[in-house]
Amino acid sequence: MNKIQILVQKILHYHKKKLYIQDMMKRIIEYEDYRKYLRDFYEEHKRIGAFTWRDFSRLAGSNSASFLKMVCDGKNGLSKLGVERVANAMALNGDELVYFRALVTFCQAKKENERKKAYEEMQTIAEEYKVRVLEGESFKFYESWQYPVIRELAPMMPGAKPLEIAKRCAQPITAAEVRASLDFLVKSHFLTKTAEDTYELADKVLKVSSAAIPLAVRSMQSQMAEFAKNAIENVPSEKRDFSGVTMGIDKDDFNEIVAELKELRKKVISIATRKKGGENVYRLNLQLFPLTNEKEA
């Protein structure tokens, strides 16, 4: 067998192994971090035969033996050309290739509008395959103030029509928007409908777990920060509590304060959930952020 025949045999063996591995692995549309997919792909290859980071990197067209390991470790990213080469090395095509491109953009994009667009493209492909992997309902829930407010308010007003709920909201919202929010909250299992225009919480406390969700949370936090600003002028002082402190701290102090704030949030949640029902919906913002630039080394 000459060198060309040996090379052809190696290529055929590799592609057969890739097809086998893709059958064993989760589909790429079940991932929300492309680095995790690359690492799983590498680990599965390594498990069933001799395979190194050097091999993987070379298949992706890189002369650096550690290129893809550095990418998986978060020390490097993928360029547009790199995305295509890595996708080719993993035999991705069709919707899987489109998903992989969007997945890399979602993980690497600096601008939130680019990440959001990439996420929506990923979600569209996932929905076509009827795979709920990116917590799409949760993403939508955290995008707007309407959903968390209506979720808390509706159970307090059993039998109330959408217009009545709309009038209780401090921010402008129509009856039609309230109805649409209620339909979404029930469909997505954030609320349970127990009778006509009567709802109860499906779970008292929501937890953010998906890697995608913080993107939506930032959007809602921006809205809530603007509402807080307006409350300073429009809400009587006896119905709100605003305070703050400016201080000089180091990294250790910062970490200790963050830990204390985390414990405080837990205590506040326990107070808010120990009784059934409520009278009004409040928002608590805990904000700790720098007012100076990092000190130069």
Side-chain angles (χ1 to χ4, degrees):
M1 185 179 292
N2 60 38
K3 290 183 178 180
I4 294 178
Q5 290 174 318
I6 293 172
L7 179 60
V8 170
Q9 288 294 321
K10 285 185 176 180
I11 292 173
L12 288 173
H13 173 70
Y14 173 72
H15 280 277
K16 285 180 180 178
K17 190 166 69 171
K18 279 198 295 189
L19 293 174
Y20 167 77
I21 286 174
Q22 287 177 331
D23 286 339
M24 296 297 291
M25 286 178 59
K26 292 189 299 182
R27 289 177 294 177
I28 190 170
I29 58 174
E30 297 181 56
Y31 286 80
E32 54 187 41
D33 185 338
Y34 81 90
R35 293 182 173 89
K36 178 72 168 90
Y37 182 77
L38 294 183
R39 188 173 291 280
D40 285 354
F41 185 89
Y42 164 76
E43 294 293 344
E44 193 61 27
H45 265 82
K46 185 178 178 182
R47 185 182 67 82
I48 66 172
F51 193 68
T52 65
W53 285 111
R54 180 187 294 274
D55 295 328
F56 197 8
S57 296
R58 282 182 175 176
L59 287 167
S62 175
N63 293 323
S64 170
S66 61
F67 169 64
L68 283 180
K69 185 177 187 307
M70 298 282 281
V71 171
C72 288
D73 290 343
K75 297 177 181 178
N76 283 332
L78 290 179
S79 64
K80 288 185 177 181
L81 179 59
V83 169
E84 301 305 314
R85 287 178 172 175
V86 171
N88 183 63
M90 297 187 296
L92 297 176
N93 52 58
D95 284 341
E96 289 190 331
L97 174 57
V98 175
Y99 188 93
F100 181 67
R101 290 169 178 159
L103 183 60
V104 174
T105 299
F106 172 72
C107 293
Q108 293 186 168
K110 302 298 183 183
K111 297 181 179 179
E112 288 199 16
N113 62 330
E114 292 178 2
R115 295 193 70 206
K116 185 175 180 180
K117 183 179 178 181
Y119 173 83
E120 290 170 350
E121 188 172 7
M122 291 158 58
Q123 189 64 28
T124 298
I125 295 172
E127 287 173 355
E128 288 177 359
Y129 284 85
K130 300 188 184 304
V131 177
R132 184 184 173 192
V133 295
L134 297 177
E135 301 182 55
E137 291 89 348
S138 296
F139 186 90
K140 183 177 179 180
F141 178 87
Y142 287 106
E143 270 194 310
S144 171
W145 67 269
Q146 296 180 14
Y147 301 119
V149 171
I150 299 300
R151 176 181 177 268
E152 296 293 331
L153 185 58
M156 297 178 189
M157 303 175 65
K161 299 298 182 183
L163 182 58
E164 297 175 76
I165 295 175
K167 289 180 179 179
R168 283 290 308 275
C169 294
Q171 306 303 321
I173 185 172
T174 66
E177 288 173 327
V178 170
R179 173 59 67 193
S181 295
L182 288 169
D183 289 344
F184 162 75
L185 291 168
V186 171
K187 180 181 177 182
S188 302
H189 308 293
F190 292 108
L191 282 179
T192 299
K193 189 173 183 178
T194 57
E196 184 66 24
D197 295 317
T198 303
Y199 305 86
E200 64 180 27
L201 296 177
D203 293 292
K204 278 199 169 185
V205 182
L206 295 178
K207 294 182 179 179
V208 180
S209 58
S210 170
I213 305 306
L215 175 63
V217 171
R218 285 197 292 273
S219 175
M220 190 176 69
Q221 286 175 337
S222 295
Q223 296 175 41
M224 293 297 185
E226 189 64 30
F227 297 162
K229 178 181 175 182
N230 293 335
I232 294 176
E233 300 295 332
N234 301 316
V235 177
S237 59
E238 64 272 16
K239 293 186 177 181
R240 60 173 171 81
D241 183 86
F242 280 68
S243 61
V245 57
T246 303
M247 53 199 167
I249 59 176
D250 60 20
K251 187 175 181 179
D252 290 337
D253 296 332
F254 174 82
N255 291 333
E256 186 176 348
I257 292 170
V258 168
E260 289 291 332
L261 291 175
K262 184 176 181 179
E263 290 302 314
L264 174 60
R265 284 195 298 272
K266 290 180 180 178
K267 186 173 182 180
V268 169
I269 290 171
S270 69
I271 294 172
T273 57
R274 68 188 177 192
K275 297 177 183 176
K276 186 175 182 179
E279 296 176 349
N280 289 294
V281 179
Y282 274 75
R283 168 74 178 187
L284 171 64
N285 289 336
L286 296 176
Q287 301 166 332
L288 176 65
F289 55 91
L291 295 173
T292 54
N293 296 321
E294 291 284 341
K295 183 180 179 180
E296 294 184 4

